[in-house]
Amino acid sequence: MRIHIEATNLPGRSCPPGAGFPGYDGIHVGVQGRVRRDELLGLHPGDAASAAWTLECTAVATADGTDFRGAQIQGRPGGRFIYLAWGSVDGAGVFTMFRRAKLMLDAVDPATAEAAVRTGRLVARLGLTDGKGEPLCAAVRPPLIEWSAGA
């Protein structure tokens, strides 16, 4: 099956310093691979109008619900998540990560997970700027993210 992530409201290519945030330029975001932190899928600039990623995965029915597994899915059963990695890209094109957002798959309600398995597609919709105007980080659960099944 596939997990499709649709993101809007990106924070921009530059974020000034703030409380607990040193500020960065050349901001980009991508999906981090499970095995290698520097293995990024679909790097998008922070000033893009939107960003989207489609991940291949396997959904396995367990006694506790649906367990999603794949090359970009992190964590242990019951605590799986997808990392969106934020970083600066320098003039040479080198990405240096400074923060991550965890899209928590345990926050997908069971009925939505079951419907996604039937349709073959789980969709996540979220904004990527936090309340301070900085790149969204930490564990992301509803209402910051909306999960639905799609065709």
Side-chain angles (χ1 to χ4, degrees), residues 67-91:
D67 183 28
F68 298 98
R69 302 173 188 169
Q72 290 84 25
I73 297 176
Q74 317 266 346
R76 296 187 172 133
R80 304 259 195 224
F81 58 90
I82 299 165
Y83 266 138
L84 294 184
W86 291 100
S88 292
V89 175
D90 66 17

Side-chain angles (χ1 to χ4, degrees), residues 79-151:
R80 304 259 195 224
F81 58 90
I82 299 165
Y83 266 138
L84 294 184
W86 291 100
S88 292
V89 175
D90 66 17
V94 176
F95 178 88
T96 304
M97 186 177 65
F98 62 81
R99 153 181 286 192
R100 295 184 291 192
K102 269 180 154 177
L103 310 185
M104 303 303 298
L105 292 167
D106 64 356
V108 179
D109 73 74
T112 300
E114 290 171 16
V117 169
R118 284 193 306 276
T119 65
R121 188 169 183 206
L122 178 64
V123 179
R125 291 184 180 90
L126 73 159
L128 293 181
T129 301
D130 70 12
K132 299 178 200 168
E134 298 168 358
L136 183 69
C137 67
V140 180
R141 291 184 159 82
L144 297 177
I145 188 169
E146 175 189 318
W147 294 100
S148 62

Side-chain angles (χ1 to χ4, degrees), residues 13-36:
R13 282 244 190 156
S14 295
C15 286
F21 185 75
Y24 293 94
D25 292 315
I27 295 174
H28 285 67
V29 62
V31 175
Q32 182 179 317
R34 183 182 72 241
V35 177
R36 294 179 41 151

